[in-house]
């Protein structure tokens, strides 16, 4: 198996994914990039399906991780580090759309966040790395790699549900084609992490907001795939100026479950 970057540390990549995968991170970064700079209230109007509380608590986290800066005028901008995420976003979107095709029109930002959500759970990258080096590993071998052995079975079930690994008839586990196809994703993540140009800002991070459940906002978030303008969306039958245009490698540089 050759999909794993030779100089990549699985623990470090898990930390990188933890910075990028919280819900709405991709939406926020791509929206800020599209508009160059926005006040928090303006950002909220551009992303009406995100609660104001969740958005206001997310910004200090993005600042802390060096992805966003706040100007003296109270406006937010993405950093050069965030702009360098373009190759990462591209391969995540490609992997998700290729491996999990759907007939439903889906925003590019949503595909990216969904892909990140599949890779976000703790120890997922560690397990995939081990299976890349040791095909057909036993449950005991994988359990030893998982930080909390008692939850190993549930974690492996989650990875099976996401089609990242499969259990063979002999009680062993192996990478699926979908899991093995993550090579470009891990390569891009490793390169971005190694080349980060902006040091994390020393800001206080507020307590995280409780994960939004199925609600009016969540329903609106699902509907945005058919109501937003062409851009962050693959298909856009009905224009709506409140949602930003797409992020592509041709444009200006720039879901935990």
């Amino acid at each position: 198996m050759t999909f794993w970057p030779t100089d990549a540390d699985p623990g470090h990549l898990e930390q990188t994914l933890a910075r990028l995968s919280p819900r709405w991170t991709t939406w926020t970064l791509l929206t800020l990039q599209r508009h160059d700079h926005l006040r928090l209230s303006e950002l909220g109007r551009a992303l009406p399906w995100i609660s104001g509380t969740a958005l206001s608590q997310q910004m200090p986290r993005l600042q802390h991780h060096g992805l966003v800066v706040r100007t003296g005028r109270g406006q937010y901008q993405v950093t050069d580090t965030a702009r360098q995420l373009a190759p990462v976003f591209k391969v995540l979107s490609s992997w998700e759309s290729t491996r999990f095709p759907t007939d439903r029109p889906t925003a590019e930002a949503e595909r990216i966040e969904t892909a990140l959500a599949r890779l976000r759970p703790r120890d997922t990258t560690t397990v995939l790395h081990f299976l890349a080096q040791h095909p057909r590993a036993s449950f005991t071998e994988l359990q030893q790699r998982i930080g909390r052995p008692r939850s190993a079975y549930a974690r492996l079930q989650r990875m099976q549900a996401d089609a990242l690994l499969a259990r063979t008839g002999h009680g062993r586990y192996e990478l699926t084609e979908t899991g093995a196809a993550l090579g470009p994703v891990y390569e891009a993540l490793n390169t971005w992490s190694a080349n980060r140009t902006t040091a994390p800002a020393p800001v206080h991070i507020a307590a995280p907001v409780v994960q939004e459940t199925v609600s009016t906002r969540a329903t609106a978030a699902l509907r945005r795939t058919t109501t937003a303008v062409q851009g962050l969306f693959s298909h856009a039958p009905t224009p709506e100026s409140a949602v930003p245009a797409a992020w592509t490698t041709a444009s200006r540089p720039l879901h935990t479950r």
Side-chain angles (χ1 to χ4, degrees):
M1 193 67 61
T2 60
F3 89 101
W4 191 263
T6 56
D7 60 340
D9 174 68
H12 181 68
L13 287 183
E14 290 212 359
Q15 293 175 1
T16 299
L17 286 165
R19 289 193 289 270
L20 300 178
S21 60
R23 190 63 169 144
W24 311 124
T25 294
T26 303
W27 279 102
T28 301
L29 293 178
L30 294 184
T31 302
L32 281 175
Q33 174 61 27
R34 170 62 182 170
H35 292 275
D36 190 42
H37 53 76
L38 291 173
R39 296 182 184 277
L40 188 62
S41 59
E42 296 169 329
L43 183 60
R45 287 194 293 272
L47 298 170
W49 49 82
I50 307 178
S51 72
T53 301
L55 194 59
S56 63
Q57 292 193 357
Q58 175 171 240
M59 302 315 291
R61 178 181 62 79
L62 296 180
Q63 287 180 267
H64 175 75
H65 292 311
L67 300 173
V68 164
V69 293
R70 188 173 186 271
T71 70
R73 296 182 178 181
Q75 298 172 320
Y76 290 95
Q77 294 178 304
V78 295
T79 62
D80 288 341
T81 294
R83 293 187 179 94
Q84 291 167 5
L85 280 167
V88 176
F89 287 163
K90 179 180 179 181
V91 294
L92 281 166
S93 178
S94 176
W95 178 77
E96 179 67 25
S97 61
T98 300
R99 296 293 165 176
F100 303 94
T102 176
D103 294 332
R104 179 174 61 87
T106 305
E108 182 179 16
E110 192 71 11
R111 291 196 300 272
I112 294 167
E113 294 217 344
T114 301
L116 286 167
R118 298 183 195 278
L119 304 179
R120 159 72 171 173
R122 182 177 174 182
D123 302 314
T124 295
T125 297
T126 298
V127 169
L128 294 177
H129 175 243
F130 184 78
L131 284 174
Q133 297 177 318
H134 305 85
R136 302 205 173 201
S138 68
F139 174 80
T140 300
E141 290 174 316
L142 296 181
Q143 186 182 42
Q144 293 172 349
R145 266 72 194 172
I146 293 176
R148 297 179 180 178
R150 291 184 180 179
S151 63
Y153 184 71
R155 295 190 184 195
L156 293 177
Q157 278 192 313
R158 165 68 183 270
M159 295 175 69
Q160 286 181 263
D162 282 329
L164 301 177
L165 55 77
R167 191 169 185 268
T168 71
H170 301 287
R172 291 182 171 270
Y173 294 84
E174 60 185 6
L175 284 176
T176 60
E177 291 185 4
T178 295
L182 283 165
V185 172
Y186 283 124
E187 186 66 50
L189 283 167
N190 191 50
T191 299
W192 176 78
S193 181
N195 295 333
R196 292 178 67 199
T197 59
T198 305
V203 298
H204 172 70
I205 302 178
V209 175
V210 176
Q211 181 68 35
E212 295 185 48
T213 56
V214 178
S215 61
T216 302
R217 288 185 181 279
T219 302
L222 293 175
R223 286 202 302 266
R224 64 185 176 272
T225 57
T226 58
T227 59
V229 300
Q230 185 175 7
L232 293 179
F233 299 83
S234 300
H235 307 278
T238 306
E240 179 178 307
S241 60
V243 182
W247 170 255
T248 65
T249 53
S251 63
R252 288 180 296 175
L254 169 159
H255 53 276
T256 51
R257 288 186 180 176

